[in-house]
Amino acid sequence: MVRTDDVDPLCLSCRTTEVFPALNKPENGAHWSRIEAAKRRMTYGLLSLGLPVPNKKVDPRDGVAFHFLEETDPKTKVLTGHDDGLITLNIAEADDAHREDVRTRMHEPYRTLLGHFRHEIGHYYWDRLIADTPWLERFRALFGDEQADYGEALQRHYESPVTDWPERFISVYASSHPWEDWAECWAHYMHLWDGLETAASWGLRLDSAVPNAPPVQAAAVGAGEQDFRQRVVADWLPISQFSNAMSRSMGGQDAYPFVMPDPVLDKLDFIHQVIAAGVRGEFTMNFGREMPEDPDAAAGAAPEPEPASA
């Protein structure tokens, strides 16, 4: 939706799209539609959390932008990832058959467009909420030292992934580097925030979630929630188990194929505290900082959205 007094015809989500796939291929239009729908859902979640979602026109240095690219040359790979506020997505991820094939080959229990967006935006908000803020030392205590060489960490992960990751991480990929641990946990925080809000809006009540225990009445998470960890255990886990049971009854895979050990609950609670403190203005989030004097850096203002194939 766009306010009637807004001169920009694009919604807040679409304003962050700088490059979209070339539409001379009919399938690319369908891919772009699915991609924007997932990004809009993610943007709604961020706004629901109370977080700023500036595009690079209004915040050239600290805003976020998206490039949706197609691989047109087998020798040139398009990798989904984040780099200083720019999130790139390979549009092949919008093809269900391709995405499922990659998920299977990578031995991933879960791979969706929305999951991609929530993971990559987690990297973006690490720069906005953790880097150079009072939260950095506590982040390192929970997730590890992000100064560890990222390339070496990923190479080591792919060559010999840790085997005891379920005891400390939400996914095996989260064990590769503290940045990836944060992004995976951020995505899961958004999953359960949105999931609980949806369940609450439908009035979901589980009378038999736990034998001989009171019913579980779904309720949205509030920014002022004091015991977020308890909310996850008492509400989210039973609701996610119900969701998995419903999916199995329809012959599908588990909607939420994850297990949360204690260290992950601590990390999710930390993310909740950081977001709440930032929204309340208890520390200065890294938005709207002035651009450097370097003219090359100052030239980073977002252009009008344009199609591109690579």
Side-chain angles (χ1 to χ4, degrees), residues 101-263:
D101 176 64
V102 174
R103 187 193 69 79
T104 302
R105 286 190 285 107
M106 297 290 289
H107 305 288
E108 297 173 341
Y110 175 91
R111 190 182 183 94
T112 68
L113 279 173
L114 184 55
H116 278 311
F117 279 123
R118 287 173 171 168
H119 175 98
E120 299 304 339
I121 206 69
H123 287 298
Y124 168 74
Y125 280 100
W126 190 91
D127 291 337
R128 306 282 74 78
L129 303 177
I130 302 297
D132 302 319
T133 75
W135 295 98
L136 183 57
E137 289 307 312
R138 191 169 168 199
F139 164 85
R140 288 173 176 167
L142 284 170
F143 294 85
D145 189 348
E146 83 290 349
Q147 298 174 98
D149 188 279
Y150 183 73
E152 291 181 3
L154 286 188
Q155 182 178 357
R156 185 166 55 250
H157 165 71
Y158 287 120
E159 291 177 352
S160 180
V162 298
T163 57
D164 65 344
W165 67 265
E167 299 176 11
R168 295 173 288 138
F169 301 97
I170 193 66
S171 69
V172 64
Y173 189 55
S175 68
S176 63
H177 189 275
W179 279 335
E180 298 304 340
D181 193 8
W182 163 270
E184 286 285 87
C185 287
W186 179 280
H188 279 76
Y189 179 83
M190 293 195 71
H191 288 335
L192 64 89
W193 176 283
D194 197 4
L196 286 173
E197 184 183 61
T198 299
S201 70
W202 281 79
L204 180 65
R205 171 187 163 113
L206 302 177
D207 289 332
S208 304
V210 181
N212 303 317
V216 173
Q217 179 67 54
V221 179
E225 191 82 34
Q226 294 299 314
D227 195 344
F228 179 76
R229 180 190 177 104
Q230 179 58 27
R231 279 296 306 278
V232 173
V233 173
D235 291 0
W236 172 248
L237 294 184
I239 289 172
S240 65
Q241 290 164 0
F242 166 73
S243 177
N244 286 346
M246 286 295 295
S247 183
R248 293 170 192 169
S249 72
M250 298 297 294
Q253 297 177 338
D254 284 355
Y256 189 78
F258 301 97
V259 176
M260 289 189 193
D262 281 341

Side-chain angles (χ1 to χ4, degrees), residues 53-67:
V53 193
N55 60 69
K56 285 191 173 291
K57 281 186 178 180
V58 301
D59 191 349
R61 174 175 175 175
D62 298 321
V64 64
F66 292 84
H67 288 189

Side-chain angles (χ1 to χ4, degrees), residues 22-81:
L23 301 181
N24 56 347
K25 295 182 179 180
E27 64 271 22
N28 283 0
H31 291 344
W32 187 29
S33 176
R34 296 189 191 106
I35 288 168
E36 290 290 357
K39 179 158 71 72
R40 190 171 298 110
R41 181 83 187 200
M42 176 205 66
T43 303
Y44 165 80
L46 296 170
L47 296 174
S48 177
L49 287 166
L51 290 168
V53 193
N55 60 69
K56 285 191 173 291
K57 281 186 178 180
V58 301
D59 191 349
R61 174 175 175 175
D62 298 321
V64 64
F66 292 84
H67 288 189
F68 304 136
L69 305 181
E70 176 186 13
E71 282 188 7
T72 58
D73 182 352
K75 298 179 181 179
T76 305
K77 295 295 182 181
V78 173
L79 300 178
T80 296

